[in-house]
Amino acid sequence: MTISGIQDKSSFLNIVPWLIALTLCLLFGAFMHQEIACLGIALLISTLYASMGWKEKANAPILIVWLLSLQNLMIGVGAHVSGNDSGDLIWLTQIPFAVTGVLFVSVILDRMNKPMVDRINKYFILLAIWIAVMFLLGVGSLAARLVSVRNATVFFMAFCIAREYLKEDSERERFYFQFGICCVIVSVAGIVLMTQDVAFWMNMGLSEVYIAKQSPISLTTEWGHRFVTSVDGIHNVVRMMSTYYEPVNLAYLLSAGLICIGLTWKKGVPKYLALLIVALGLFLTFGKGGWMVAGVFVLFLLFYKSSTKRKTDEHGLRRPLVILGIILTGASLAAILYFLFVGGAVRPHFWAVINTWENVISRPVGHGLGSGGNAAYAFNSALGEWLSTGEESALMSFMYQIGIPGVLLLLLTMIAFCKTSRSILPSSKGAALFSLPIILLAVSLLQDNTFAPQCIIPFMFLLGSISAEAKDASRLSDINSTSGEVFKAIPCRAGTAQTIGSAEGGFRLRERQYK
């Protein structure tokens, strides 16, 4: 693959004015205590951007990735300089989601004259209807319900944006390159900033960022539990935050970036150097969610690729499903053993699964949005004690709120993503599209942040862009099949057979790039 982003620098420059405008909304909203007004301005900017042509909107995924990477830095600095410690800062944290939502509406409008209800959309429509019902039945605070709606829908919005607007090979290659560069820059910044003490981070607005997250912290000269963890249950290590200000969320971004670079960049020194930097950054976050996603995927890819050599049923889904199932079973056993013999920071996640499951069984249809999870606990609207309503587990939080039927619809939606990989299996990209949705769901059982925008959006952009490739490959395969039947039916003279064969070979050659 040639990285067109290296030659076409103007493509990144095209998003700079939009990125500056949106980051200034974050900065001045926090600085001037005008959070709601700046959220409204951001919506207007997003609407204007969404009204641009398709070529401009092809840069939307990387624009949102950069916005997610700079969001907390802008809020923290602006709020700290002006002494803004208001709970209204939470409105500014919704700007990336607002931009994503506007662009998702743009996707729907752009497809008004095309078939819209495929299998993926069908499951999500049912999920959205169920979420709406549980929103009305919810007894939690409005803020907690809205956060739950955001986390249960943003993954699909991001997937559709990338799948719709990254249609051309050049656009996808540019996104892969720029996404990798973003992760390299964030990693380098994080490694450098690890040399700074608590006082520096407090001056950068760390406390204000967590007020915006509705999870206040109190730090003096020592790092709190959010920024320190233990791998062996004995020794504590300080975690890398970078511009994300949140080690757990940062691990997901770098995990997605590591996979993107490994799958899509051309072999050479730049790729290996980028992999080294991002891998080091991911390690220093000590974010177990990001570690698990990257680790399980690498294991799956190694075993799957080795099993497909000299096999004929390349496009089948049975073999990758069996391999992934075995690896996830092994990873689950390893996690249980770690919980039993080491414990440490993972204990609350297991306790949440055990305690919440009992409450789910007592009301399988769900308790309503805003009644469980860390958001409900932060907004004082949880129906039960901490770790009994889905706190520290995204999947159990969903199950507690929208019930087993809602989680089944969520599962079917993610599985529909996996099935779009059939046309490009057994390629590495096809393996990613097949496995990552399932891996993310599995990891969300032990991680609360998995479906938060800063964590899930980078993965969904990557999967959506690969799904767009798979759609192209499927269409080319259909053309090959149709053209083959036509060629067989045409009575050809000796002089024309070579020309027709060349035409068919052209289709075949284009299809082989997805292998």
Side-chain angles (χ1 to χ4, degrees):
M1 183 189 78
T2 59
I3 304 297
S4 60
I6 297 177
Q7 291 81 21
D8 190 7
K9 296 180 181 179
S10 63
S11 64
F12 177 74
L13 297 178
N14 288 339
I15 71 167
V16 169
W18 302 100
L19 181 61
I20 291 175
L22 290 169
T23 52
L24 286 178
C25 286
L26 292 164
L27 181 66
F28 285 109
F31 179 78
M32 301 174 67
H33 299 245
Q34 296 294 325
E35 296 88 356
I36 297 178
C38 284
L39 174 59
I41 294 172
L43 283 169
L44 291 175
I45 294 171
S46 305
T47 303
L48 180 60
Y49 180 78
S51 67
M52 305 294 287
W54 170 73
K55 285 292 183 183
E56 187 74 23
K57 286 188 285 191
N59 293 314
I62 195 61
L63 170 64
I64 295 174
V65 168
W66 273 110
L67 186 61
L68 290 169
S69 301
L70 298 174
Q71 163 192 317
N72 290 337
L73 175 64
M74 296 294 105
I75 294 174
V77 171
H80 184 75
V81 170
S82 65
N84 183 358
D85 58 359
S86 167
D88 288 339
L89 288 169
I90 189 175
W91 293 104
L92 296 177
T93 65
Q94 307 308 310
I95 285 181
F97 173 66
V99 175
T100 305
V102 169
L103 285 165
F104 177 66
V105 172
S106 176
V107 169
I108 295 174
L109 295 177
D110 288 344
R111 291 189 59 84
M112 289 299 291
N113 297 324
K114 303 175 184 178
M116 295 187 62
V117 184
D118 57 16
R119 182 174 295 177
I120 297 175
N121 295 337
K122 186 190 304 180
Y123 291 135
F124 180 75
I125 290 170
L126 293 174
L127 174 62
I129 293 172
W130 186 256
I131 289 172
V133 172
M134 301 312 291
F135 181 91
L136 296 175
L137 297 178
V139 296
S141 67
L142 178 62
R145 279 185 278 177
L146 290 175
V147 169
S148 296
V149 170
R150 180 199 70 184
N151 291 352
T153 58
V154 71
F155 78 96
F156 184 80
M157 295 179 183
F159 182 88
C160 289
I161 289 170
R163 195 178 190 220
E164 179 67 19
Y165 291 137
L166 297 177
K167 291 181 177 179
E168 300 292 336
D169 288 342
S170 60
E171 303 293 349
R172 291 190 288 265
E173 290 173 1
R174 187 159 58 242
F175 167 72
Y176 298 145
F177 175 71
Q178 293 177 355
F179 180 31
I181 290 296
C182 176
C183 291
V184 169
I185 292 173
V186 170
S187 297
V188 171
I191 293 169
V192 172
L193 291 173
M194 285 190 75
T195 62
Q196 303 301 314
D197 58 9
V198 175
F200 170 85
W201 281 99
M202 295 301 283
N203 288 330
M204 292 291 288
L206 182 63
S207 179
E208 288 78 7
V209 166
Y210 280 85
I211 290 174
K213 290 173 172 286
Q214 302 297 302
S215 184
I217 57 174
S218 179
L219 301 179
T220 52
T221 59
E222 303 252 344
W223 291 107
H225 70 279
R226 290 181 177 275
F227 314 106
V228 175
T229 190
S230 173
V231 177
D232 59 5
I234 301 174
H235 302 92
N236 290 331
V237 291
V238 178
R239 311 168 79 172
M240 189 179 84
M241 294 182 288
S242 191
T243 58
Y244 250 53
Y245 284 53
E246 168 59 86
V248 175
N249 292 4
L250 177 60
Y252 283 92
L253 172 74
L254 299 184
S255 178
L258 188 70
I259 293 171
C260 176
I261 294 169
L263 293 181
T264 66
W265 281 32
K266 186 178 180 180
K267 291 182 179 180
V269 174
K271 174 178 180 174
Y272 301 132
L273 182 60
L275 283 173
L276 177 62
I277 293 172
V278 177
L280 178 60
L282 173 60
F283 175 77
L284 292 174
T285 65
F286 291 92
K288 298 175 184 65
W291 282 10
M292 286 189 288
V293 174
V296 172
F297 172 71
V298 170
L299 284 175
F300 167 75
L301 185 63
L302 290 175
F303 282 101
Y304 175 63
K305 294 296 287 185
S306 64
S307 74
T308 56
K309 292 179 179 178
R310 293 183 295 276
K311 298 292 183 180
T312 56
D313 52 336
E314 293 180 342
H315 297 287
L317 299 180
R318 181 179 300 175
R319 183 185 298 112
L321 183 61
V322 170
I323 293 173
L324 184 59
I326 293 172
I327 291 174
L328 287 175
T329 300
S332 300
L333 292 174
I336 293 171
L337 291 174
Y338 184 86
F339 165 66
L340 292 175
F341 295 102
V342 179
V346 305
R347 286 194 179 102
H349 304 286
F350 280 90
W351 293 336
V353 173
I354 296 169
N355 295 339
T356 303
W357 177 248
E358 297 176 359
N359 291 328
V360 168
I361 292 299
S362 67
R363 190 179 173 85
V365 296
H367 294 76
L369 288 183
S371 59
N374 279 351
Y377 189 76
F379 290 108
N380 299 313
S381 66
L383 291 181
E385 298 294 329
W386 188 56
L387 300 182
S388 67
T389 64
E391 292 84 0
E392 303 302 327
S393 170
L395 193 60
M396 295 308 296
S397 171
F398 285 147
M399 198 173 294
Y400 184 87
Q401 295 178 78
I402 62 178
I404 294 176
V407 169
L408 285 176
L409 291 172
L410 173 66
L411 180 63
L412 288 172
T413 304
M414 297 291 266
I415 290 175
F417 293 170
C418 301
K419 288 185 175 180
T420 63
S421 66
R422 186 188 295 270
S423 61
I424 55 173
L425 283 172
S427 70
S428 297
K429 289 182 184 178
L433 181 55
F434 174 82
S435 64
L436 282 175
I438 299 174
I439 294 172
L440 287 166
L441 275 172
V443 169
S444 72
L445 185 64
L446 295 176
Q447 292 285 302
D448 177 68
N449 298 39
T450 305
F451 281 88
Q454 282 191 312
C455 302
I456 200 68
I457 284 179
F459 277 105
M460 290 297 112
F461 281 157
L462 176 61
L463 294 177
S465 62
I466 297 175
S467 183
E469 286 195 40
K471 186 190 293 187
D472 283 350
S474 179
R475 184 165 54 248
L476 287 168
S477 178
D478 291 342
I479 292 174
N480 284 333
S481 176
T482 304
S483 62
E485 294 300 320
V486 171
F487 294 143
K488 291 176 183 177
I490 296 176
C492 301
R493 295 191 303 270
T496 61
Q498 184 176 1
T499 303
I500 295 175
S502 300
E504 185 179 13
F507 291 125
R508 300 289 182 190
L509 181 62
R510 176 66 185 271
E511 186 184 16
R512 278 199 295 273
Q513 69 176 306
Y514 298 102
K515 299 294 186 184

